[in-house]
Every structure is written in structure tokens, then in C-alpha cells.
Amino acid sequence: MLKEFGYEIIEGVYSYYEVNEILHVLESKQFENRFGIREFLNENSELFDKIFTNSLRRIIKQISPNCKKSIKSIYFDKPPNANWVVNWHQDLTINLRNRIELDGFKNWRENSERIVVQPTREILENIFTIRIHLDDCTKENGALRVIEKSHKNGVIEIKDWIKNKEGVEKVCEVNRGGILIMKPLTLHASSRTENKANRRVIHIEFTDIELPNGLIWKEEIKIKEKAV
């Protein structure tokens, strides 16, 4: 389904107990008033084994047998006091440690924390995202909306697409402990929450591709074999 439609939902990847373990760590760090935390795995390494369970590792291997690294991680929450709309878009950038001008890499941006660039279509097509849901995520509390099969069209001019709104829209409702897998070129958006409930999600991006000519991923984390 991921390859054909650009997204896939798998329920029950994490047990109620496993989600509670993750939430216990998050709550101990008083993340209640932080609604987006970048470089999440780098900053919270003690959560690695709780996130990379045997179930998640099997899913990663099924998607990409040669994938041995994550390249970006973000923690999102959308509580009632920090509610927002995310308009239709694709995830078109990667984070790097260095800048080397190469064909196909464009829209460079640099700040004190990271170097951001839009890479080639080949690289974008070899990335997949796993969104781990720590709360029930319904239409009423900002579930992601996607356009099926839009990932097959490469980089889309959003303003032109909005005029025609081609493609089937799907609301990706996911239960607590489930995951949403998505390709970055899949058009997606989300609405405000309407039920005054949290929508806590851990967003992790993966790839099996190597960057060319000495470029270095900013957040690369090796997925080591788990001890038995």
C-alpha cells in the first residue's frame, strides 16, 4: 500500500504498556508546553530502545531491507492551547551538516542549528516516514490528511494543484500505538483539533540511500541490531 498509495496505516505496533513507557519519559521531561521538538532522538537517546521495538524493526526491514539509519526525528503535539492548521504540502527538504554545491540540490537555507536543502527526486523517493501515535488520532483531533498516489507525481506546484484538487483525499485516523507510514512526496495536511485532546506523535524519517560527494546527514542515527 505504501508504494502504491504513498501511505499505509498499521495498528497495534505498540502495546498500551509500551506507549505508557514512552509517555512516562516524555512527561518526566515536562514536554507539556513544547509542541515541536526537533532532533528528538538525538536529544532523548534513552527512548531509543523503547521506540525501536522488535515490531518496529520488522516493519522497517519489510519496507527497506537495507535501511540501517534514521535521518530526522521530530516530536509533535497539538494540544488545545497550541492549535494550528497545516496546509497542503510535501516534505521536500533534508537536514545536513555541510554544504557542497551539487546538481539537483537547491533552495539551500542555513542557520545556527542546521543546513537545509531540497535534494534530488531520487533521494526524496528513497525516504519514508514513520509517525508513531501516542494518542488516538481522529478527524476531530487533527489526523493527517493525504492525497492518495500523489507521491508518484514528483515535486508538485501546490498553487497549481489547489486549483484542480486532483486525487482522492484520505483522513488517516490512527489509534494509540499505531503508526502511519508515508512517503515525503505524498501531499498531506492537517486541521485544527476540535476535541481538546492531545495529539502526540513521534515523526521519524528513514532511508537506505547514501548522500553523494561528501554531504553528511545532520541527524543520522544507526539502527543497530537489537540484543536478544
Side-chain angles (χ1 to χ4, degrees):
M1 186 169 179
L2 176 65
K3 185 176 181 180
E4 175 65 16
F5 292 96
Y7 75 99
E8 182 173 357
I9 295 169
I10 304 178
E11 297 284 12
V13 175
Y14 294 85
S15 68
Y16 192 88
Y17 172 78
E18 287 170 333
V19 172
N20 271 351
E21 280 202 313
I22 295 171
L23 289 175
H24 178 73
V25 175
L26 294 177
E27 289 164 2
S28 72
K29 296 194 170 201
Q30 298 182 331
F31 284 161
E32 289 86 352
N33 295 316
R34 298 183 66 183
F35 315 120
I37 301 172
R38 295 185 178 275
E39 300 190 35
F40 179 74
L41 289 176
N42 285 342
E43 299 297 327
N44 300 277
S45 58
E46 70 272 33
L47 277 170
F48 189 91
D49 286 339
K50 298 182 188 304
I51 292 170
F52 285 87
T53 61
N54 289 330
S55 294
L56 188 69
R57 289 168 184 269
R58 283 194 294 270
I59 291 167
I60 293 168
K61 193 171 184 64
Q62 289 168 2
I63 298 169
S64 178
N66 297 318
C67 181
K68 296 181 179 179
K69 61 177 175 288
S70 65
I71 56 168
K72 186 187 292 186
S73 58
I74 310 171
Y75 167 76
F76 292 114
D77 192 7
K78 194 181 277 194
N81 60 330
N83 209 349
W84 67 92
V85 171
V86 178
N87 294 321
W88 290 107
H89 68 287
Q90 298 170 295
D91 293 336
L92 297 179
T93 61
I94 58 175
N95 295 338
L96 303 177
R97 292 188 180 277
N98 57 341
R99 176 170 179 167
I100 301 172
E101 299 291 342
L102 297 174
D103 289 342
F105 286 72
K106 59 185 181 181
N107 300 329
W108 290 90
R109 303 195 307 273
E110 298 184 41
N111 59 37
S112 60
E113 297 179 346
R114 63 186 59 86
I115 299 171
V116 179
V117 68
Q118 180 179 324
T120 62
R121 177 172 175 173
E122 177 190 9
I123 290 175
L124 290 171
E125 288 178 337
N126 277 278
I127 295 172
F128 62 96
T129 299
I130 294 180
R131 292 169 61 92
I132 302 164
H133 290 74
L134 306 178
D135 300 291
D136 291 336
C137 189
T138 65
K139 182 179 179 180
E140 288 71 31
N141 79 329
L144 210 67
R145 296 146 53 208
V146 302
I147 301 297
E148 293 183 344
K149 302 184 179 182
S150 54
H151 66 300
K152 296 182 177 182
N153 298 320
V155 178
I156 296 169
E157 287 290 340
I158 301 297
K159 64 180 185 299
D160 294 335
W161 175 81
I162 287 174
K163 292 178 183 177
N164 302 311
K165 283 287 182 75
E166 295 178 347
V168 177
E169 179 179 331
K170 170 71 175 180
V171 179
C172 297
E173 295 188 305
V174 186
N175 293 318
R176 169 188 163 120
I179 65 172
L180 168 64
I181 311 167
M182 189 180 69
K183 302 295 289 182
L185 289 175
T186 301
L187 277 168
H188 56 287
S190 66
S191 304
R192 290 186 175 90
T193 61
E194 300 173 4
N195 60 1
K196 298 184 179 180
N198 288 76
R199 192 212 63 176
R200 291 168 290 190
V201 172
I202 298 173
H203 167 120
I204 308 176
E205 297 179 16
F206 302 87
T207 187
D208 61 5
I209 204 165
E210 299 297 330
L211 291 171
N213 295 71
L215 289 175
I216 302 170
W217 299 105
K218 174 69 165 65
E219 300 178 50
E220 179 174 337
I221 296 179
K222 299 293 185 182
I223 305 173
K224 298 177 182 178
E225 294 294 329
K226 193 167 187 178
V228 178

